[in-house]
Amino acid sequence: MPKHETPLLDQLESGAWPSFVADLKRQAGSRQQKQNEIEFQIPVDVVDDLLGLLELSYVEKEVHWKHGGIVGVFGYGGGVIGRYCDQPEKFPGVAHFHTMRVNQPAGKYYKTDYLRQLCDLWDFRGSGLTNMHGSTGDIVLLGTTTPQLEEIFYELTHKMDQDLGGSGSNLRTPAACLGESRCEWACYDTQELCYQMTMEYQDELHRPAFPYKFKFKFDGCPNGCVASIARADMSFIGTWRDDIRIDQEAVAAYVGGEIKPNGGAHAGKDWGPFDIQKEVIDLCPTKCMWMEGGKLNINDRECTRCMHCINVMPRALRIGNDRGLSILCGAKAPILDGAQLGSLLVPFMKVDESYDGVKEVIENIWDWWMEEGKNRERLGETMKRQGFQKLLEVTGIDPDPRHVSEPRHNPYIFWKEEEVPGGFERDINDYRSRHPK
């Protein structure tokens, strides 16, 4: 039987979509049934009290969680998000309800034995509620008490060879797409780069010292399956710098209807005959494609690697062979300022096994941002405040036309007096001689 009446929450079960309320009730009932089998290390009615507290928040239109100070595991400043209820007498099961972030494997590949072990641990020492995965990518374990934190940490690290993720003003858990392990369009090994950066920057991941959070995300190609361009302070997006490879016979097969477009993804619906002009050429953002003599032509100098044509005709078009990555900086959701997409910093970089070039860019940015960034200011906000030119200076990257997002858009690149032979005085005198009035 439910411990608390929840008429407002019950309404959230009435729609056609899956309901988190139904999941919570199922978990609450499961804990009641298992209490004779498992010696739970936190109150058995933790999920029941969570439902009751949430109902109270709906009734009073007030959040009843408070932050009671820093809580965590020894030696780490991140990985645990402290949560305390401000109604502990009424809802003792959630007097403590800490969240733990666990570092997900690159590409989110799991063995079933690992998942069973993780769920058994969290049933025993936590609420059993998980989030697979958080927006950063972590495995999120929702709800445990302060005495259990070290116990859980010990089991994760010593028995499961698993580390906590990032939280607070530090490097958040790096996240990557499947990359070369599954995707034919991956331009570099996203999983390997994600792993190497995770191992290289352990101190920045576990001991907060930044002005605010900092995220790495690794997309293997411009399709952006982890949406790094919208969510990461530093985005690593796979690209190529030679020509798109064209199989003209396959192009003809698409045009003739012998091969279904979009990898056959819409086979269940009849969209009519494929029209390459309407569905590919006219949708090219830079209009760099055309048909001539029954063959597809691409002006690769104008191609922006949007991937649309490759997605529609994957058997006819392939990414180039000279592959690497681009680095973008400054993406974030609204915090101090509005939402921002990443700005291109490194147009192209080959990825070698040392990753020295990647590390140099990262560390130059960190040195500047840690010195100049304000409290709770993301990298993108520091860039906006001090200008893109400053970012180029601190990273030692030369200005490039590709740093300009569109014609006549201010690229934040200016000449300094010492960089102009003769200085500004010569330019002013020249201007006055041509405009005497």
Side-chain angles (χ1 to χ4, degrees):
M1 288 293 293
K3 183 178 177 182
H4 304 282
E5 295 292 327
T6 56
L8 295 179
L9 290 181
D10 294 345
Q11 293 182 35
L12 298 179
E13 297 183 86
S14 61
W17 300 100
S19 169
F20 78 94
V21 175
D23 290 341
L24 289 174
K25 290 181 178 179
R26 190 180 302 115
Q27 176 63 11
S30 175
R31 288 182 70 85
Q32 292 290 340
Q33 292 173 8
K34 292 180 180 178
Q35 61 181 322
N36 295 325
E37 306 169 20
I38 301 175
E39 189 179 347
F40 294 116
Q41 298 300 295
I42 72 170
V44 68
D45 55 359
V46 54
V47 184
D48 282 304
D49 279 355
L50 178 63
L51 285 162
L53 184 69
L54 186 55
E55 178 75 17
L56 181 64
S57 295
Y58 279 35
V59 170
E60 297 185 350
K61 298 181 176 60
E62 181 180 350
V63 175
H64 287 286
W65 295 110
K66 63 178 182 177
H67 196 293
I70 300 299
V71 62
V73 297
F74 184 73
Y76 280 21
V80 178
I81 303 166
R83 290 287 184 269
Y84 298 91
C85 167
D86 67 1
Q87 304 280 330
E89 298 82 9
K90 194 171 183 179
F91 305 102
V94 290
H96 301 189
F97 197 76
H98 307 315
T99 290
M100 299 189 77
R101 289 182 176 166
V102 178
N103 194 325
Q104 82 285 353
K108 301 187 179 76
Y109 282 106
Y110 299 102
K111 292 183 178 179
T112 53
D113 288 345
Y114 170 85
L115 291 174
R116 288 192 181 97
Q117 193 175 358
L118 186 70
C119 290
D120 287 345
L121 169 62
W122 197 240
D123 270 338
F124 182 56
R125 298 193 180 277
S127 69
L129 301 175
T130 63
N131 182 348
M132 302 286 283
H133 299 81
S135 58
T136 297
D138 307 91
I139 304 165
V140 178
L141 305 179
L142 294 159
T144 191
T145 60
T146 304
Q148 292 304 312
L149 295 176
E150 289 289 352
E151 304 291 341
I152 295 163
F153 182 58
Y154 180 87
E155 298 238 354
L156 285 171
T157 55
H158 287 70
K159 297 182 180 180
M160 299 179 66
D161 196 25
Q162 182 66 59
D163 201 2
L164 296 185
S167 69
S169 296
N170 61 1
L171 174 63
R172 298 301 180 83
T173 316
C177 70
L178 296 172
E180 293 178 341
S181 67
R182 290 290 298 274
C183 182
E184 61 188 308
W185 297 325
C187 297
Y188 69 100
D189 190 340
T190 57
Q191 290 177 271
E192 180 65 18
L193 182 54
C194 181
Y195 173 76
Q196 293 296 336
M197 295 303 100
T198 303
M199 301 304 292
E200 177 76 17
Y201 297 116
Q202 284 289 294
D203 198 58
E204 288 76 14
L205 184 63
H206 293 307
R207 296 167 185 87
F210 289 161
Y212 200 27
K213 66 181 80 168
F214 195 98
K215 297 179 181 180
F216 290 151
K217 294 191 189 298
F218 304 91
D219 276 316
C221 79
N223 274 325
C225 291
V226 295
S228 65
I229 195 171
R231 305 192 297 149
D233 299 88
M234 286 191 72
S235 311
F236 300 84
I237 302 178
T239 188
W240 63 95
R241 58 181 173 184
D242 54 345
D243 294 346
I244 294 175
R245 293 172 289 158
I246 306 175
D247 181 339
Q248 297 292 354
E249 290 184 4
V251 171
Y254 277 105
V255 173
E258 299 165 35
I259 304 176
K260 297 292 184 183
N262 302 296
H266 304 300
K269 185 175 177 63
D270 183 10
W271 294 94
F274 175 63
D275 185 341
I276 191 171
Q277 185 69 39
K278 178 181 177 182
E279 298 180 45
V280 177
I281 296 173
D282 289 348
L283 296 178
C284 175
T286 60
K287 309 302 180 186
C288 70
M289 310 178 72
W290 69 97
M291 291 291 291
E292 186 175 326
K295 293 188 176 182
L296 180 65
N297 295 273
I298 302 176
N299 179 4
D300 284 272
R301 287 177 58 85
E302 297 299 317
C303 175
T304 58
R305 314 296 193 265
C306 77
M307 296 294 292
H308 173 69
C309 61
I310 297 175
N311 292 334
V312 175
M313 303 191 299
R315 289 173 62 178
L317 301 174
R318 298 280 181 175
I319 62 175
N321 287 318
D322 188 8
R323 302 169 190 169
L325 57 80
S326 299
I327 301 177
L328 293 86
C329 295
K332 66 176 189 67
I335 300 175
L336 296 181
D337 207 342
Q340 293 174 207
L341 292 179
S343 298
L344 181 66
L345 177 64
V346 178
F348 186 86
M349 176 185 292
K350 297 292 281 187
V351 183
D352 58 41
E353 293 182 358
S354 70
Y355 304 109
D356 288 340
V358 172
K359 294 174 188 175
E360 182 180 2
V361 176
I362 291 170
E363 291 167 15
N364 284 337
I365 288 174
W366 279 351
D367 288 344
W368 167 60
W369 181 56
M370 291 174 70
E371 182 70 26
E372 298 292 337
K374 297 179 180 179
N375 186 41
R376 292 182 64 83
E377 184 177 65
R378 294 285 289 272
L379 174 65
E381 289 157 337
T382 306
M383 288 167 53
K384 193 171 182 179
R385 181 167 56 84
Q386 294 207 356
F388 192 79
Q389 180 196 14
K390 187 66 177 179
L391 182 66
L392 294 176
E393 289 177 11
V394 300
T395 54
I397 294 171
D398 293 331
D400 186 288
R402 289 167 291 186
H403 290 140
V404 183
S405 61
E406 69 264 350
R408 292 175 295 279
H409 180 88
N410 187 348
Y412 304 101
I413 298 170
F414 305 97
W415 293 106
K416 293 183 177 180
E417 185 171 2
E418 61 270 20
E419 296 172 343
V420 181
F424 291 122
E425 186 175 348
R426 182 201 63 189
D427 298 332
I428 292 171
N429 291 336
D430 179 63
Y431 178 84
R432 286 173 176 167
S433 67
R434 289 184 286 110
H435 302 83
K437 294 184 179 181

